[in-house]
Amino acid sequence: MDYINIMDIPGIKIGNAQDFDGGTGCTVILCSNGGTGGVDVRGGAPGTRETDLLNPMNLVDKVHGILLAGGSAFGLDAAAGVMEYLEERGIGYDVGVTKVPIVAGAVLFDLAAGDSKCRPDKKMGYEACLNSEAGKFSEGSAGAGTGATVGKILGMDKAMKGGLGVFCIKTDRLYVGAVVAVNCLGDVIDPETGKILAGAYSYKDKMFINTEMAMMESLKKENNPFTGNTTIGAVITNGRLTKAGANKVASMAHNGYARSIRPAHTMHDGDTIFTLATGEVDADVNQIGVLAAKAVEQAVVNGVRKASELYGIKSFLQL
């Protein structure tokens, strides 16, 4: 088993676009030949697009793009730019009179960073697609992770910087990778040691507060610090999956969130994971699912480890 560059997955392009002044951005994953799509939404406050279409009972089984974006519900506008880019290149589901690109997506809440009036839009979505051609993609405070933050249980003054992380595993001819924008209510944990890497932090006492403990000990507080969350991501594989299998992989991949984010899947997170499978290699759905969970947990860790301080919010690198 090898750890490789996620950009090496055949048939996949990934690109970022961002507005650093506005504190937001988006990340696109493109598959011009179409890939089998799946999704699992676990959080209680999701913002998503085309998730119903990925239900195995429904007709279309190929996805041409996945959008991960900031901007809360406003950020879904960026999908229009992805659709325009794909349509110009004749990519999409053939409906006779034209081809309709299938672009699934999810958004996170980053309006508290930078300028809340700046959100990913059609222009930014299109720009991210152009950047995917040139390989303009980086981790940390970029793309959908530009304005991401973590550990907001006691408010933004004790939060830390989240970010965009990736991780990819190759075993024999099978690739399984993950792209995750980490923007959780909870703390990010190193799965190997159990130690908090980033989260709610007391800068006065120079110590982590421990979000799980804070939540369990303060059930009667009414200050509602729970706005501004959601971790979103996508699992990408060259394995062959049915639509039902792709949904199962997305479900298993959420184990990666549970291992690296505490707590995950709260009512104030919209935690979502997509699956995109290009179908080049025969593989067992369980094997892909186990690898997906590993890729997701490490992508979460990379997202905070590679984040930079922005908007006065400290990052792992500063601590």
Side-chain angles (χ1 to χ4, degrees), residues 122-307:
K122 181 178 181 180
K123 180 180 178 182
M124 186 181 286
Y126 192 91
E127 180 186 354
C129 293
L130 291 177
N131 288 340
S132 75
E133 296 178 356
K136 292 183 178 179
F137 174 76
S138 58
E139 297 176 80
S141 299
T146 301
T149 50
V150 302
K152 287 155 279 190
I153 184 70
L154 297 179
M156 289 297 292
D157 61 330
K158 291 182 174 60
M160 286 181 62
K161 192 71 181 66
L164 186 70
V166 303
F167 194 79
C168 190
I169 305 167
K170 181 177 183 291
T171 175
D172 197 6
R173 295 173 53 232
L174 177 67
Y175 297 82
V176 180
V179 181
V180 180
V182 188
N183 187 64
C184 50
L185 169 71
D187 303 322
V188 173
I189 309 296
D190 183 343
E192 301 297 324
T193 66
K195 293 182 178 179
I196 299 174
L197 298 174
Y201 190 79
S202 171
Y203 293 96
K204 177 182 178 181
D205 299 325
K206 296 184 178 181
M207 61 181 293
F208 286 105
I209 293 164
N210 192 314
T211 295
E212 282 190 324
M213 292 299 297
M215 291 181 71
M216 289 188 287
E217 294 173 355
S218 59
L219 296 180
K220 295 183 179 180
K221 290 189 177 180
E222 303 293 338
N223 58 337
N224 188 24
F226 301 112
T227 58
N229 310 298
T230 294
T231 296
I232 52 178
V235 170
I236 314 163
T237 180
N238 67 338
R240 186 171 295 112
L241 293 170
T242 64
K243 207 171 173 184
N247 278 272
K248 183 59 178 177
V249 166
S251 175
M252 293 178 71
H254 272 279
N255 292 333
Y257 282 175
R259 295 172 190 164
S260 57
I261 300 172
R262 296 181 188 168
H265 309 134
T266 75
M267 285 296 291
H268 304 281
D269 289 284
D271 297 339
T272 300
I273 297 179
F274 293 97
T275 301
L276 182 62
T278 63
E280 295 181 349
V281 177
D282 285 324
D284 178 69
V285 64
N286 298 294
Q287 180 187 26
I288 297 176
V290 169
L291 291 168
K294 182 66 174 179
V296 166
E297 75 170 52
Q298 292 301 313
V300 170
V301 168
N302 286 342
V304 297
R305 279 183 169 162
K306 297 184 179 182

Side-chain angles (χ1 to χ4, degrees), residues 41-59:
V41 181
R42 296 280 181 92
T48 57
R49 182 182 192 277
E50 297 281 36
T51 51
D52 285 348
L53 193 67
L54 302 181
N55 188 313
M57 293 188 297
N58 295 330
L59 175 64

Side-chain angles (χ1 to χ4, degrees), residues 68-156:
L68 307 176
S72 190
F74 298 107
L76 291 172
D77 286 349
V82 183
M83 289 191 69
E84 180 177 321
Y85 172 89
L86 293 170
E87 183 186 28
E88 289 175 351
R89 289 151 181 80
I91 298 168
Y93 180 74
D94 193 345
V95 295
V97 294
T98 188
K99 290 184 178 179
V100 180
I102 305 301
V103 179
V107 292
L108 56 80
F109 186 103
D110 58 2
L111 302 181
D115 184 351
S116 65
K117 295 297 183 181
C118 292
R119 301 100 179 223
D121 55 13
K122 181 178 181 180
K123 180 180 178 182
M124 186 181 286
Y126 192 91
E127 180 186 354
C129 293
L130 291 177
N131 288 340
S132 75
E133 296 178 356
K136 292 183 178 179
F137 174 76
S138 58
E139 297 176 80
S141 299
T146 301
T149 50
V150 302
K152 287 155 279 190
I153 184 70
L154 297 179
M156 289 297 292

